[in-house]
Coordinates of all heavy atoms in Angstrom, one line a residue:
M186 N 89.2 120.5 89.4 CA 89.9 121.3 88.5 C 91.4 120.7 88.4 O 92.0 120.5 89.4 CB 90.0 122.7 89.0 CG 90.7 123.6 88.1 SD 90.7 125.2 89.1 CE 90.0 126.2 87.8
T187 N 91.9 120.4 87.3 CA 93.2 119.9 87.1 C 94.1 121.0 86.6 O 93.8 121.9 85.9 CB 93.2 118.7 86.1 OG1 92.8 119.2 84.8 CG2 92.3 117.6 86.6
E188 N 95.4 120.9 87.1 CA 96.4 121.8 86.7 C 97.3 121.2 85.6 O 97.7 120.0 85.7 CB 97.3 122.1 87.9 CG 97.3 123.6 88.2 CD 98.2 123.8 89.4 OE1 99.4 123.9 89.1 OE2 97.7 123.9 90.5
L189 N 97.5 121.9 84.6 CA 98.4 121.5 83.5 C 99.8 121.7 84.0 O 100.2 122.8 84.2 CB 98.2 122.2 82.2 CG 96.8 121.9 81.5 CD1 96.7 122.8 80.3 CD2 96.7 120.4 81.3
S190 N 100.7 120.7 84.0 CA 102.0 120.8 84.3 C 102.9 120.7 83.1 O 102.7 119.9 82.3 CB 102.5 119.9 85.4 OG 102.4 118.6 84.9
R191 N 103.9 121.6 83.0 CA 104.7 121.6 81.9 C 105.8 120.5 82.0 O 106.3 120.3 83.1 CB 105.6 122.9 81.8 CG 105.2 123.7 80.7 CD 106.0 125.0 80.6 NE 107.4 124.8 81.1 CZ 108.1 125.8 81.5 NH1 107.6 127.0 81.6 NH2 109.3 125.6 81.9
V192 N 106.1 119.8 81.0 CA 107.2 118.9 81.0 C 108.5 119.6 81.1 O 108.9 120.4 80.3 CB 107.1 117.9 79.8 CG1 108.3 116.9 79.8 CG2 105.7 117.2 79.7
R193 N 109.3 119.2 82.1 CA 110.5 120.0 82.3 C 111.7 118.9 82.2 O 111.6 117.8 82.7 CB 110.5 120.6 83.6 CG 111.7 121.4 83.9 CD 111.7 122.1 85.3 NE 110.6 123.0 85.4 CZ 110.7 124.2 85.2 NH1 111.9 124.8 84.8 NH2 109.7 125.1 85.2
A194 N 112.7 119.3 81.5 CA 113.9 118.5 81.5 C 114.6 118.3 82.8 O 114.6 119.2 83.6 CB 114.9 119.0 80.5
K195 N 115.1 117.1 83.1 CA 115.7 116.9 84.3 C 117.2 117.4 84.2 O 117.9 117.8 85.2 CB 115.7 115.4 84.6 CG 114.4 114.9 85.1 CD 114.4 113.5 85.4 CE 113.1 113.0 85.7 NZ 113.0 111.7 86.2
Y196 N 117.7 117.3 83.0 CA 119.1 117.9 82.8 C 119.2 118.2 81.3 O 118.5 117.7 80.5 CB 120.2 116.9 83.3 CG 120.3 115.7 82.4 CD1 121.2 115.7 81.3 CD2 119.6 114.5 82.6 CE1 121.4 114.6 80.5 CE2 119.7 113.5 81.8 CZ 120.6 113.5 80.7 OH 120.8 112.4 79.9
V197 N 120.2 119.0 81.0 CA 120.6 119.3 79.6 C 122.1 119.2 79.6 O 122.8 119.1 80.5 CB 120.2 120.7 79.2 CG1 118.7 120.9 79.3 CG2 120.8 121.8 80.1
I198 N 122.6 119.2 78.4 CA 124.0 119.2 78.1 C 124.5 120.6 78.2 O 124.1 121.4 77.4 CB 124.4 118.5 76.8 CG1 123.8 117.0 76.8 CG2 125.9 118.5 76.6 CD1 124.3 116.1 77.9
G199 N 125.4 120.8 79.1 CA 126.0 122.2 79.2 C 127.0 122.5 78.1 O 127.3 121.8 77.3
P200 N 127.5 123.7 78.2 CA 128.4 124.2 77.2 C 129.7 123.5 77.1 O 130.3 123.4 76.1 CB 128.7 125.6 77.6 CG 128.2 125.8 79.0 CD 127.2 124.8 79.2
D201 N 130.1 122.8 78.2 CA 131.3 122.0 78.2 C 131.1 120.5 77.9 O 132.0 119.7 78.0 CB 132.1 122.2 79.6 CG 131.3 121.7 80.8 OD1 130.1 121.3 80.5 OD2 131.9 121.6 81.9
G202 N 129.8 120.2 77.6 CA 129.5 118.8 77.3 C 129.1 117.9 78.4 O 128.7 116.7 78.2
S203 N 129.1 118.4 79.6 CA 128.7 117.7 80.8 C 127.2 117.9 81.1 O 126.7 119.0 80.7 CB 129.5 118.0 82.0 OG 129.4 119.4 82.3
P204 N 126.5 117.0 81.8 CA 125.1 117.2 82.1 C 124.9 118.4 83.1 O 125.8 118.6 84.0 CB 124.7 115.9 82.9 CG 125.8 114.9 82.5 CD 127.0 115.7 82.2
L205 N 123.9 119.2 82.9 CA 123.7 120.4 83.6 C 122.2 120.2 84.3 O 121.3 120.1 83.6 CB 123.9 121.6 82.7 CG 123.7 122.9 83.3 CD1 124.8 123.3 84.3 CD2 123.7 124.0 82.2
T206 N 122.2 120.3 85.6 CA 120.9 120.2 86.3 C 120.6 121.6 86.8 O 121.4 122.5 86.9 CB 120.8 119.2 87.4 OG1 121.8 119.6 88.4 CG2 121.2 117.8 86.8
V207 N 119.5 121.9 87.4 CA 119.1 123.1 88.0 C 120.0 123.4 89.3 O 120.4 124.5 89.4 CB 117.6 123.1 88.5 CG1 117.3 124.3 89.4 CG2 116.6 123.0 87.3
A208 N 120.4 122.3 89.9 CA 121.4 122.5 91.0 C 122.7 123.0 90.5 O 123.5 123.7 91.3 CB 121.6 121.2 91.7
D209 N 123.1 122.7 89.3 CA 124.4 123.1 88.8 C 124.5 124.6 88.2 O 125.5 125.1 87.8 CB 124.9 122.2 87.6 CG 125.0 120.7 88.1 OD1 125.4 120.5 89.2 OD2 124.6 119.8 87.3
L210 N 123.2 125.1 88.1 CA 123.2 126.5 87.5 C 123.8 127.5 88.5 O 123.9 127.3 89.7 CB 121.7 126.9 87.2 CG 121.1 126.1 86.1 CD1 119.6 126.5 86.1 CD2 121.8 126.4 84.8
P211 N 124.2 128.7 87.9 CA 124.8 129.7 88.8 C 123.7 130.1 89.9 O 122.5 130.0 89.7 CB 125.1 130.9 87.9 CG 125.1 130.3 86.5 CD 124.2 129.1 86.5
P212 N 124.3 130.5 91.1 CA 123.3 131.0 92.1 C 122.5 132.2 91.7 O 123.0 132.9 90.8 CB 124.3 131.3 93.3 CG 125.6 131.2 92.9 CD 125.6 130.7 91.5
S213 N 121.3 132.3 92.2 CA 120.4 133.4 91.7 C 120.9 134.8 92.1 O 120.5 135.7 91.5 CB 119.1 133.2 92.4 OG 119.1 133.2 93.8
N214 N 121.9 134.8 93.0 CA 122.4 136.2 93.4 C 123.7 136.5 92.6 O 124.5 137.4 93.1 CB 122.7 136.2 94.9 CG 123.7 135.3 95.4 OD1 124.1 134.3 94.7 ND2 124.2 135.3 96.6
T215 N 124.0 135.8 91.5 CA 125.2 136.0 90.7 C 125.2 137.5 90.2 O 124.3 138.0 89.7 CB 125.2 135.0 89.5 OG1 125.3 133.7 90.0 CG2 126.4 135.3 88.6
R216 N 126.4 138.1 90.4 CA 126.5 139.5 89.9 C 127.7 139.5 88.9 O 127.7 140.4 88.1 CB 126.9 140.4 91.1 CG 125.7 140.5 92.1 CD 124.6 141.4 91.4 NE 123.5 141.4 92.4 CZ 122.3 140.7 92.2 NH1 122.1 140.0 91.1 NH2 121.3 140.8 93.1
R217 N 128.6 138.6 89.0 CA 129.7 138.6 88.0 C 129.5 137.5 87.0 O 129.5 136.3 87.2 CB 131.1 138.2 88.7 CG 132.2 138.4 87.9 CD 133.5 138.4 88.8 NE 134.6 138.7 88.0 CZ 135.3 137.8 87.3 NH1 134.8 136.5 87.2 NH2 136.4 138.1 86.6
W218 N 129.1 137.9 85.7 CA 128.7 137.1 84.7 C 129.9 136.7 83.8 O 130.1 137.4 82.8 CB 127.5 137.6 83.9 CG 126.3 137.5 84.7 CD1 125.7 138.5 85.3 CD2 125.5 136.4 84.8 NE1 124.5 138.1 86.0 CE2 124.4 136.7 85.6 CE3 125.6 135.0 84.4 CZ2 123.5 135.8 86.0 CZ3 124.6 134.2 84.8 CH2 123.6 134.6 85.6
V219 N 130.6 135.7 84.1 CA 131.6 135.1 83.2 C 131.1 134.2 82.1 O 129.9 134.0 82.1 CB 132.7 134.3 84.1 CG1 133.4 135.2 85.1 CG2 132.1 133.1 84.7
I220 N 131.9 134.1 81.1 CA 131.4 133.3 79.9 C 130.7 132.0 80.2 O 129.6 131.8 79.8 CB 132.5 133.0 78.9 CG1 133.1 134.4 78.4 CG2 132.2 132.1 77.8 CD1 134.4 134.2 77.6
R221 N 131.3 131.2 81.1 CA 130.7 130.0 81.5 C 129.3 130.1 82.1 O 128.4 129.2 81.6 CB 131.7 129.2 82.5 CG 131.2 127.8 82.9 CD 132.0 127.2 84.0 NE 132.3 128.1 85.1 CZ 131.5 128.3 86.1 NH1 130.3 127.7 86.2 NH2 131.8 129.1 87.1
R222 N 129.2 131.0 83.0 CA 127.9 131.1 83.6 C 126.8 131.6 82.6 O 125.7 131.1 82.7 CB 127.9 132.2 84.7 CG 128.8 131.7 85.9 CD 128.8 132.7 87.0 NE 129.7 132.2 88.1 CZ 130.4 133.0 88.8 NH1 130.4 134.3 88.6 NH2 131.3 132.6 89.7
K223 N 127.1 132.5 81.8 CA 126.2 133.0 80.7 C 125.7 131.8 79.8 O 124.6 131.6 79.5 CB 126.8 134.1 79.8 CG 127.0 135.4 80.6 CD 127.7 136.3 79.6 CE 128.0 137.6 80.2 NZ 128.7 138.5 79.3
A224 N 126.8 131.0 79.4 CA 126.5 129.9 78.5 C 125.7 128.8 79.2 O 124.8 128.2 78.5 CB 127.8 129.3 78.1
E225 N 125.9 128.6 80.5 CA 125.1 127.7 81.2 C 123.6 128.1 81.3 O 122.7 127.2 81.1 CB 125.6 127.5 82.7 CG 126.9 126.7 82.7 CD 127.5 126.6 84.1 OE1 127.1 127.5 85.0 OE2 128.4 125.8 84.4
V226 N 123.4 129.4 81.5 CA 122.0 129.8 81.6 C 121.3 129.7 80.2 O 120.2 129.3 80.1 CB 121.9 131.3 82.1 CG1 120.5 131.8 82.0 CG2 122.4 131.3 83.5
V227 N 122.1 130.0 79.1 CA 121.5 129.9 77.7 C 121.1 128.5 77.5 O 120.2 128.1 76.9 CB 122.4 130.5 76.7 CG1 122.0 130.2 75.3 CG2 122.6 132.0 76.9
A228 N 122.1 127.5 77.9 CA 121.9 126.1 77.6 C 120.7 125.6 78.3 O 119.9 124.8 77.8 CB 123.2 125.3 78.0
A229 N 120.5 126.1 79.6 CA 119.4 125.7 80.4 C 118.0 126.1 79.8 O 117.1 125.3 79.8 CB 119.5 126.3 81.9
V230 N 118.0 127.3 79.2 CA 116.7 127.8 78.7 C 116.5 127.0 77.3 O 115.4 126.5 77.0 CB 116.8 129.3 78.5 CG1 115.6 129.8 77.6 CG2 116.8 130.1 79.8
R231 N 117.5 126.9 76.5 CA 117.4 126.2 75.2 C 116.9 124.7 75.5 O 116.2 124.2 74.6 CB 118.6 126.2 74.4 CG 118.9 127.6 73.8 CD 120.1 127.5 72.9 NE 120.2 128.7 72.2 CZ 121.2 129.1 71.5 NH1 122.3 128.4 71.4 NH2 121.2 130.2 70.8
G232 N 117.4 124.2 76.5 CA 117.2 122.8 76.7 C 115.9 122.5 77.5 O 115.5 121.3 77.8
G233 N 115.3 123.5 78.0 CA 114.0 123.3 78.7 C 114.1 123.1 80.2 O 113.1 122.9 80.9
L234 N 115.3 123.4 80.7 CA 115.5 123.3 82.1 C 114.9 124.4 82.9 O 114.3 124.3 84.0 CB 117.0 123.3 82.5 CG 117.5 122.7 83.6 CD1 117.1 121.2 83.8 CD2 119.1 122.6 83.7
L235 N 115.0 125.6 82.3 CA 114.2 126.8 82.7 C 113.5 127.5 81.6 O 114.0 127.4 80.4 CB 115.3 127.9 83.3 CG 116.1 127.6 84.5 CD1 117.1 128.8 84.7 CD2 115.2 127.5 85.7
S236 N 112.4 128.2 81.9 CA 111.8 129.0 80.8 C 112.6 130.3 80.7 O 113.3 130.7 81.7 CB 110.4 129.2 81.1 OG 110.2 130.1 82.2
L237 N 112.4 131.0 79.7 CA 113.0 132.4 79.5 C 112.5 133.2 80.7 O 113.4 134.0 81.2 CB 112.6 133.0 78.2 CG 113.0 134.4 77.9 CD1 114.6 134.5 78.0 CD2 112.5 135.0 76.6
E238 N 111.3 133.2 81.0 CA 110.8 134.0 82.1 C 111.4 133.7 83.4 O 111.7 134.6 84.2 CB 109.3 134.0 82.2 CG 108.5 134.5 81.0 CD 108.5 133.5 79.8 OE1 108.7 132.3 80.0 OE2 108.3 133.9 78.7
E239 N 111.5 132.4 83.7 CA 112.1 131.9 84.9 C 113.5 132.3 85.0 O 114.0 132.8 86.1 CB 112.0 130.4 85.0 CG 110.7 129.8 85.3 CD 110.6 128.3 85.1 OE1 111.4 127.7 84.4 OE2 109.7 127.8 85.8
A240 N 114.3 132.3 84.0 CA 115.8 132.7 83.9 C 115.9 134.2 84.2 O 116.7 134.5 85.0 CB 116.4 132.3 82.6
C241 N 115.0 134.9 83.5 CA 115.1 136.4 83.7 C 114.8 136.7 85.1 O 115.4 137.6 85.7 CB 114.2 137.1 82.6 SG 114.9 137.0 81.0
E242 N 113.7 136.1 85.6 CA 113.3 136.5 87.1 C 114.4 136.0 88.0 O 114.8 136.7 89.0 CB 112.0 135.8 87.3 CG 111.5 136.1 88.7 CD 110.2 135.6 89.1 OE1 109.3 135.4 88.1 OE2 109.9 135.1 90.2
R243 N 114.9 134.8 87.8 CA 115.9 134.2 88.8 C 117.2 135.0 88.8 O 117.8 135.2 89.9 CB 116.2 132.8 88.4 CG 117.2 132.1 89.2 CD 117.4 130.6 88.8 NE 118.4 129.9 89.6 CZ 118.5 128.7 89.7 NH1 117.6 127.8 89.3 NH2 119.4 128.1 90.5
Y244 N 117.6 135.5 87.6 CA 118.9 136.2 87.5 C 118.8 137.7 87.4 O 119.8 138.3 87.2 CB 119.8 135.6 86.4 CG 120.0 134.2 86.7 CD1 119.6 133.2 85.9 CD2 120.9 133.9 87.8 CE1 119.8 131.8 86.2 CE2 121.2 132.5 88.0 CZ 120.7 131.4 87.2 OH 120.9 130.1 87.5
C245 N 117.6 138.3 87.5 CA 117.3 139.7 87.4 C 117.9 140.2 86.0 O 118.6 141.2 86.0 CB 118.0 140.5 88.5 SG 117.3 140.1 90.1
L246 N 117.5 139.5 85.0 CA 118.0 139.9 83.6 C 116.9 140.4 82.9 O 115.6 140.0 83.2 CB 118.5 138.6 82.8 CG 119.6 137.8 83.4 CD1 119.8 136.6 82.7 CD2 120.8 138.6 83.5
T247 N 117.1 141.3 81.9 CA 116.0 141.6 81.0 C 116.0 140.6 79.9 O 116.9 139.9 79.6 CB 116.3 143.0 80.4 OG1 117.5 143.0 79.6 CG2 116.4 144.1 81.5
V248 N 114.9 140.6 79.2 CA 114.7 139.6 78.1 C 115.7 140.0 77.0 O 116.4 139.2 76.4 CB 113.3 139.7 77.5 CG1 113.2 138.8 76.2 CG2 112.3 139.1 78.5
E249 N 116.0 141.3 76.7 CA 116.9 141.7 75.8 C 118.4 141.3 76.1 O 119.1 140.9 75.2 CB 116.8 143.3 75.6 CG 115.6 143.9 75.0 CD 114.4 143.9 76.0 OE1 114.7 143.8 77.3 OE2 113.3 144.0 75.6
E250 N 118.7 141.4 77.4 CA 120.0 140.9 77.8 C 120.3 139.5 77.6 O 121.3 139.1 77.0 CB 120.3 141.3 79.3 CG 121.6 141.0 79.8 CD 121.8 141.4 81.3 OE1 120.9 141.7 82.0 OE2 123.0 141.6 81.6
F251 N 119.2 138.6 78.0 CA 119.3 137.3 77.7 C 119.4 137.0 76.2 O 120.3 136.1 75.7 CB 118.2 136.4 78.3 CG 118.2 135.0 78.0 CD1 118.9 134.1 78.7 CD2 117.6 134.5 76.8 CE1 119.0 132.7 78.4 CE2 117.7 133.2 76.5 CZ 118.4 132.3 77.3
L252 N 118.6 137.5 75.4 CA 118.6 137.4 74.0 C 119.9 137.8 73.3 O 120.3 137.2 72.3 CB 117.4 138.0 73.3 CG 116.0 137.5 73.7 CD1 114.9 138.3 73.0 CD2 115.9 136.1 73.3
S253 N 120.5 138.8 73.9 CA 121.8 139.2 73.4 C 122.9 138.1 73.6 O 123.7 137.9 72.8 CB 122.3 140.5 73.9 OG 122.7 140.4 75.3
W254 N 122.8 137.5 74.8 CA 123.7 136.4 75.1 C 123.5 135.2 74.2 O 124.5 134.7 73.5 CB 123.5 135.8 76.4 CG 123.9 136.8 77.6 CD1 124.4 138.0 77.6 CD2 123.6 136.4 79.0 NE1 124.5 138.5 78.8 CE2 124.1 137.6 79.7 CE3 123.1 135.3 79.6 CZ2 124.0 137.6 81.1 CZ3 123.0 135.4 81.1 CH2 123.5 136.5 81.7
Q255 N 122.2 134.9 73.9 CA 121.9 133.9 73.0 C 122.4 134.2 71.5 O 123.0 133.3 70.8 CB 120.5 133.6 72.9 CG 119.9 132.4 72.3 CD 118.4 132.2 72.6 OE1 118.2 131.6 73.6 NE2 117.5 132.5 71.7
S256 N 122.2 135.3 71.1 CA 122.6 135.8 69.8 C 124.1 135.8 69.7 O 124.7 135.3 68.6 CB 122.1 137.2 69.5 OG 122.5 137.7 68.2
S257 N 124.8 136.2 70.7 CA 126.3 136.2 70.6 C 126.8 134.8 70.5 O 127.8 134.6 69.7 CB 126.8 136.8 72.0 OG 126.5 138.2 72.0
I258 N 126.3 133.8 71.2 CA 126.6 132.5 71.1 C 126.4 132.0 69.6 O 127.3 131.3 69.0 CB 125.9 131.5 72.1 CG1 126.4 131.9 73.5 CG2 126.1 130.0 71.8 CD1 125.7 131.2 74.6
D259 N 125.2 132.2 69.1 CA 124.8 131.8 67.8 C 125.8 132.4 66.7 O 126.2 131.7 65.8 CB 123.5 132.2 67.4 CG 122.4 131.4 68.2 OD1 122.8 130.4 68.8 OD2 121.2 131.8 68.3
D260 N 126.2 133.7 66.9 CA 126.9 134.4 65.9 C 128.5 134.1 66.0 O 129.1 134.1 65.0 CB 126.7 135.9 65.9 CG 125.3 136.2 65.5 OD1 124.5 135.4 65.0 OD2 124.8 137.3 65.9
H261 N 128.9 134.0 67.2 CA 130.4 134.0 67.4 C 130.9 132.9 68.3 O 132.0 132.9 68.7 CB 130.8 135.3 68.0 CG 130.4 136.5 67.3 ND1 131.0 136.8 66.0 CD2 129.4 137.5 67.5 CE1 130.3 137.8 65.5 NE2 129.4 138.3 66.4
G262 N 130.0 132.0 68.8 CA 130.4 130.9 69.7 C 130.6 131.5 71.2 O 130.2 132.6 71.4
L263 N 131.2 130.7 72.0 CA 131.3 131.2 73.4 C 132.2 132.5 73.5 O 132.0 133.3 74.4 CB 132.0 130.0 74.3 CG 131.1 128.8 74.4 CD1 131.8 127.9 75.3 CD2 129.8 129.2 75.1
A264 N 133.1 132.6 72.6 CA 134.0 133.9 72.6 C 133.2 135.1 72.4 O 133.6 136.2 72.9 CB 135.0 133.8 71.5
G265 N 131.9 135.0 71.8 CA 131.1 136.2 71.7 C 130.5 136.7 73.0 O 130.1 137.8 73.0
L266 N 130.6 135.9 74.0 CA 130.1 136.3 75.3 C 131.1 137.2 76.2 O 130.8 137.6 77.2 CB 129.7 135.1 76.2 CG 128.5 134.3 75.7 CD1 128.3 133.0 76.4 CD2 127.2 135.1 75.7
R267 N 132.3 137.3 75.6 CA 133.2 138.1 76.3 C 132.9 139.6 76.2 O 132.7 140.2 75.1 CB 134.7 138.1 75.6 CG 135.3 136.8 75.9 CD 136.7 136.9 75.4 NE 137.3 135.5 75.5 CZ 138.0 134.9 74.5 NH1 138.3 135.5 73.4 NH2 138.4 133.6 74.7
T268 N 132.6 140.3 77.3 CA 132.3 141.6 77.4 C 133.3 142.6 76.9 O 133.1 143.6 76.3 CB 131.8 142.1 78.8 OG1 132.8 141.8 79.6 CG2 130.5 141.3 79.1
T269 N 134.6 142.2 77.1 CA 135.7 143.0 76.7 C 135.9 143.0 75.2 O 136.5 143.9 74.6 CB 136.9 142.6 77.4 OG1 137.2 141.3 77.1 CG2 136.9 142.8 78.9
R270 N 135.3 142.0 74.5 CA 135.5 141.9 73.1 C 134.3 142.4 72.3 O 134.3 142.2 71.1 CB 135.9 140.4 72.7 CG 137.0 139.9 73.5 CD 138.3 140.7 73.3 NE 139.0 140.0 72.3 CZ 140.1 140.4 71.8 NH1 140.7 141.6 72.2 NH2 140.8 139.8 70.9
I271 N 133.2 142.9 73.0 CA 132.0 143.0 72.3 C 132.1 144.0 71.1 O 131.4 143.8 70.1 CB 130.8 143.5 73.2 CG1 129.5 143.3 72.7 CG2 131.1 144.9 73.7 CD1 128.4 143.1 73.6
Q272 N 133.0 145.0 71.2 CA 133.1 146.0 70.1 C 133.6 145.3 68.8 O 133.2 145.6 67.7 CB 134.1 147.1 70.5 CG 133.5 148.0 71.5 CD 132.3 148.8 71.0 OE1 132.2 149.1 69.9 NE2 131.3 149.0 71.9
Q273 N 134.5 144.3 69.0 CA 135.0 143.6 67.9 C 134.0 142.8 67.1 O 134.1 142.4 65.9 CB 136.1 142.8 68.2 CG 137.4 143.6 68.7 CD 138.6 142.7 69.0 OE1 138.5 141.6 68.9 NE2 139.6 143.4 69.6
Y274 N 132.9 142.3 67.8 CA 131.9 141.4 67.3 C 130.8 142.2 66.6 O 130.0 141.6 66.0 CB 131.5 140.4 68.2 CG 132.5 139.5 68.8 CD1 132.9 139.5 70.1 CD2 133.2 138.7 67.8 CE1 133.9 138.7 70.5 CE2 134.1 137.9 68.3 CZ 134.5 137.9 69.6 OH 135.5 137.0 70.0
R275 N 130.7 143.5 66.9 CA 129.5 144.2 66.4 C 129.7 144.5 64.9 O 130.8 144.7 64.4 CB 129.4 145.6 67.2 CG 128.8 145.4 68.5 CD 128.6 146.6 69.2 NE 128.0 146.4 70.5 CZ 128.0 147.3 71.4 NH1 128.5 148.5 71.3 NH2 127.5 147.0 72.6
N276 N 128.6 144.5 64.2 CA 128.7 144.7 62.8 C 128.7 146.2 62.5 O 128.3 147.0 63.1 CB 127.5 144.1 62.1 CG 127.5 142.6 62.1 OD1 128.5 142.0 62.1 ND2 126.3 142.0 62.1

């Protein structure tokens, strides 16, 4: 019996333009989510470094929470990840 293994990226380009590996990701016990950390997790999932399920499990996130980060980046750039500014970005 053979196991199918997913092709996983060794690194992706992070939000600041530098290479980002699994070792560079925020620790799994992160409780304070600053813009940079959120953007790194989104970049890791988009680039195939982590799957959505792995990221949610690793960081105790809900799928909705992760998707809201991703949507904020798409709609407003990194500034959209500021929790103190979220009211200004809502339609």
Side-chain angles (χ1 to χ4, degrees):
M186 183 186 235
T187 61
E188 239 182 81
L189 295 176
S190 63
R191 250 185 31 207
V192 176
R193 184 179 297 266
K195 292 184 181 186
Y196 72 93
V197 297
I198 301 301
D201 63 353
S203 63
L205 183 66
T206 65
V207 173
D209 300 322
L210 291 175
S213 60
N214 63 348
T215 297
R216 296 289 175 250
R217 189 170 186 279
W218 285 102
V219 296
I220 293 170
R221 179 186 50 82
R222 291 181 186 144
K223 292 177 186 179
E225 287 174 345
V226 174
V227 170
V230 172
R231 284 185 169 170
L234 203 56
L235 292 176
S236 70
L237 174 60
E238 295 79 20
E239 290 170 329
C241 289
E242 183 178 325
R243 179 176 178 154
Y244 296 112
C245 297
L246 303 172
T247 63
V248 172
E249 292 79 17
E250 186 174 17
F251 176 85
L252 293 177
S253 74
W254 293 355
Q255 189 168 279
S256 177
S257 293
I258 290 174
D259 291 343
D260 295 344
H261 307 289
L263 294 180
L266 293 173
R267 287 190 188 132
T268 57
T269 56
R270 307 299 263 175
I271 197 154
Q272 290 296 326
Q273 292 182 5
Y274 295 121
R275 288 189 178 156
N276 294 331

